[in-house]
Amino acid sequence: MALSSSRQGHLAMLSFSALVSLSFSFGHIVAKEITPTALNTVRFALAALVLFGLARVMRIPVRPVFTGFWRFGLMGGLMAVYFITMFEALRITTPVSTAAVFTLTPLMAAGCGLLIAGQRSGRWTLIALTIGAVGAVWVIFRADLNALLRFEVGRGEALFAIGALCHALVPALARKLAQGVQPLQTSIGTVLGALIVTGIYGFRDVIHTDFAALRPAVWMVITYLAVVTTAGTFFLVQYASQRLPASKVMAYTYLVPSWVVLWEFLFYGATQPALLMAGVAATLLALAMLLRGEAF
């Protein structure tokens, strides 16, 4: 039986959350060997090549990408701001704090979807998003109430909040600006926009990076980030944005901390306290509520 359009969107975002969660572990491996701006510039360049190659193989024209390119440049620029502010925030604050800020993204997306695309989130959806946010925060802070109470909003958190808002704008803009454009074409334009902004911002880091001296492991991580968590996930977000409201697209970010817990168990045998698993259960409940609220 063929999947409905909305179910296809949910499947795309489920894949998105799993793929993105792996990038946190992989990115940590090379964090001290290449600057964030140099890494992101290279990943966007490689992702653009992959997407152009895929379009050629699938015989999908790329001319529409450059017709009204400002649309894709805007979305790509917003994604570039998100990545830049994330890495800059990590220099002055902790991963836990930035991850906690990121849990606000789905609620931000709901507001952006209403203002930009006229997408109204019902009471059921808002309750589900709130439960998901609480569950994600609980997982991020490892079920430690004291750690949660010590959370402080500093310059790093405020900086990343701007990036999270930029990320939240993308699904609504894709729904509004990319109508009649295939997801692969939109992904190419978005990646090019991100490449331009990141390249300009990180030009100095790029020219001062000795890429030939990087370990093979670093290139493997860069390749994964470029092909899977850039080209792949950009496509999945654009694909899902044409089938789901912005709030439901971004709700899958709540699953990322839970995926990380799962990978740690599968790869390293790391077990987690029962209280932490309550947060995982809350994120799953939130998604179940969203699915129940769908008109299949």
Side-chain angles (χ1 to χ4, degrees):
M1 182 179 67
L3 292 176
S4 66
S5 176
S6 60
R7 286 189 175 183
Q8 291 173 13
H10 283 293
L11 181 60
M13 290 312 298
L14 181 64
S15 302
F16 164 89
S17 64
L19 296 174
V20 166
S21 66
L22 280 170
S23 68
F24 284 95
S25 298
F26 293 160
H28 179 72
I29 297 173
V30 301
K32 296 182 180 179
E33 300 187 49
I34 182 172
T35 63
T37 47
L39 184 150
N40 281 308
T41 301
V42 174
R43 77 187 283 195
F44 288 137
L46 290 176
L49 291 175
V50 170
L51 290 172
F52 272 114
L54 186 60
R56 185 177 181 83
V57 170
M58 298 176 66
R59 297 184 178 180
I60 294 176
V62 297
R63 180 169 294 182
V65 173
F66 301 99
T67 302
F69 179 75
W70 68 269
R71 301 172 295 167
F72 309 117
L74 174 60
M75 291 187 289
L78 289 170
M79 290 303 297
V81 172
Y82 160 72
F83 284 112
I84 290 171
T85 56
M86 178 179 69
F87 284 111
E88 292 296 340
L90 285 171
R91 292 182 176 183
I92 54 180
T93 188
T94 66
V96 169
S97 294
T98 52
V101 172
F102 189 61
T103 59
L104 299 175
T105 305
L107 290 172
M108 290 180 181
C112 294
L114 174 62
L115 294 175
I116 296 173
Q119 299 171 339
R120 294 184 177 276
S121 298
R123 182 182 302 175
W124 184 265
T125 297
L126 292 175
I127 292 173
L129 292 175
T130 302
I131 292 174
V134 172
V137 169
W138 193 243
V139 173
I140 288 167
F141 285 94
R142 297 286 175 176
D144 186 343
L145 184 59
N146 290 327
L148 178 61
L149 293 175
R150 289 195 302 269
F151 176 70
E152 297 179 358
V153 178
R155 189 163 63 93
E157 289 79 10
L159 179 64
F160 187 55
I162 297 173
L165 177 59
C166 289
H167 195 320
L169 282 165
V170 173
L173 287 174
R175 190 69 170 262
K176 185 77 172 180
L177 300 178
Q179 292 183 353
V181 182
Q182 297 185 44
L184 182 58
Q185 294 169 330
T186 305
S187 299
I188 291 173
T190 303
V191 168
L192 286 177
L195 173 61
I196 292 170
V197 174
T198 309
I200 294 173
Y201 180 80
F203 179 75
R204 185 182 299 273
D205 285 341
V206 172
I207 62 175
H208 286 96
T209 298
D210 186 358
F211 291 101
L214 295 175
R215 293 186 300 123
V218 177
W219 281 108
M220 290 175 63
V221 170
I222 291 175
T223 301
Y224 177 85
L225 293 175
V227 176
V228 179
T229 61
T230 303
T233 59
F234 272 39
F235 174 83
L236 291 171
V237 169
Q238 302 301 334
Y239 182 87
S241 295
Q242 301 303 323
R243 291 160 174 80
L244 298 172
S247 59
K248 294 183 180 182
V249 171
M250 296 312 299
Y252 277 86
T253 60
Y254 289 152
L255 274 186
V256 172
S258 299
W259 277 117
V260 173
V261 171
L262 176 61
W263 299 140
E264 288 183 353
F265 174 74
L266 294 178
F267 296 155
Y268 308 111
T271 57
Q272 306 297 338
L275 282 177
L276 184 142
M277 298 309 296
V280 173
T283 59
L284 295 176
L285 173 62
L287 287 176
M289 292 175 66
L290 291 174
L291 287 169
R292 184 176 182 274
E294 289 284 331
F296 289 115

